[in-house]
Amino acid sequence: DLDHDVLAAETSDIKPTGSRFTPTETYVFIDLEATGLPVLDILPDITEIAMVAVSRKVFEEGSTSRAPPRALDKLVMCVQPSREVNPGAQKMTGLSKSFLEKHGRKQMDQTVEMTVRCFLARQAQPVCLVSHNGNRLDFPVLKSELTKVEKKRLLTNVYKVDSLMFFQTHLTQRKHAFALLCSQFLGQETSHDAEGDSVGLLQLLSDRYPDLRINFSNGPIPLKPYFE
Ligand code: DCM
Ligand code: MG
Ligand code: MG
């Protein structure tokens, strides 16, 4: 099926058959705020991380309520970047280096890596990270920053999927920017705070919005570690 193919495309070096595939138990919706967008191979610094973890059962059971799932784990952290935040990103997120510094938000260090690792390790395994446009921004930036501060203790049993690919597959419209999907289906502006955007993505991908019935919990996730 389509979901399966999209997931398989994520890891095109592994064929989506056989015993190396197992269903995702936990979906972790990730959003980062950053100092800007990647420029060529130069990645921005993180200014904020949000992770919202829910069981795959959220997608299997469905709900008539539009409220976010009752049972979820959240991790939200600001990180003081080592460079200035671009004016555009600053306006969007309300975060600048001096503001984060003034408010006692610490720089990237091993405690961030430990916190993220423990948060993911606590979830029922395997875990699939889901982020909108994650292949361009969130996945490479998170991985790069975490491996800078801790090279050894890499997470296993963590996979990834870029939700942009799901929307491109399921929605025939031309544009699939997160802001557009939020206003179109949730009737709200994107907040550009990491927590709001993560919860928004979870809402978009849950079947609480019948106009947008995307259920990606059917496809098995190839056993290819994200942190490799
Ligand atoms: N970003 C940017 N310019 C844009 C869109 C995004 O600099 N036009 C950067 C700053 C944001 C980060 O990407 O903190 C993540 O964007 P989003 O809030 O959509 O998750
Ligand atoms: Mg984002
Ligand atoms: Mg955001």
Side-chain angles (χ1 to χ4, degrees):
D1 64 290
L2 283 175
D3 294 345
H4 187 282
D5 290 342
V6 171
L7 290 167
E10 269 294 293
T11 54
S12 52
D13 51 331
I14 303 177
K15 293 267 187 302
T17 53
S19 58
R20 287 147 87 193
F21 294 84
T22 186
T24 292
E25 284 297 328
T26 308
Y27 287 98
V28 177
F29 296 86
I30 292 198
D31 192 57
L32 301 182
E33 301 309 329
T35 54
L37 292 170
V39 179
L40 299 174
D41 59 347
I42 301 169
L43 297 174
D45 286 2
I46 294 174
T47 53
E48 189 179 28
I49 301 172
M51 297 186 157
V52 178
V54 296
S55 168
R56 70 178 157 82
K57 293 189 178 82
V58 160
F59 302 97
E60 289 167 3
E61 288 168 359
S63 169
T64 52
S65 164
R66 290 202 163 186
R70 179 67 186 87
L72 48 73
D73 292 352
K74 276 185 193 173
L75 174 66
V76 184
M77 264 189 300
C78 284
V79 181
Q80 191 195 131
S82 60
R83 67 185 85 176
E84 295 298 330
V85 181
N86 290 349
Q90 197 171 310
K91 187 154 182 264
M92 196 178 277
T93 63
L95 300 175
S96 69
K97 180 170 163 55
S98 59
F99 179 79
L100 289 165
E101 189 174 9
K102 182 175 144 196
H103 286 267
R105 298 306 93 204
K106 292 187 176 173
Q107 295 188 331
M108 178 58 66
D109 64 9
Q110 276 187 317
T111 66
V112 176
E113 191 277 339
M114 285 165 69
T115 305
V116 167
R117 180 157 41 86
C118 289
F119 181 85
L120 294 174
R122 183 170 162 74
Q123 307 307 321
Q125 308 287 309
V127 167
C128 182
L129 309 179
V130 187
S131 183
H132 201 76
N133 209 17
N135 287 345
R136 178 157 183 241
L137 182 79
D138 307 67
F139 296 142
V141 170
L142 181 67
K143 189 157 134 181
S144 155
E145 295 236 4
L146 296 184
T147 50
K148 256 186 237 165
V149 293
E150 176 57 78
K151 291 205 164 50
K152 289 185 288 272
R153 296 186 221 140
L154 300 177
L155 292 153
T156 57
N157 235 356
V158 176
Y159 309 93
K160 63 167 171 146
V161 71
D162 188 337
S163 53
L164 185 60
M165 297 170 76
F166 280 101
F167 292 110
Q168 284 168 345
T169 307
H170 288 268
L171 296 180
T172 52
Q173 66 196 42
R174 200 164 58 84
K175 291 186 176 163
H176 303 89
F178 185 64
L180 185 81
L181 298 174
C182 279
S183 63
Q184 190 175 345
F185 294 105
L186 307 185
Q188 67 194 37
E189 297 301 308
T190 137
S191 48
H192 293 298
D193 70 89
E195 179 181 358
D197 288 348
S198 303
V199 173
L201 183 59
L202 161 58
Q203 294 286 79
L204 280 172
L205 287 166
S206 68
D207 63 359
R208 288 163 163 73
Y209 293 82
D211 293 348
L212 188 61
R213 200 168 273 282
I214 294 179
N215 190 334
F216 59 89
S217 62
N218 297 330
I221 305 291
L223 287 179
K224 184 181 176 186
Y226 165 52
F227 293 98
E228 196 169 60

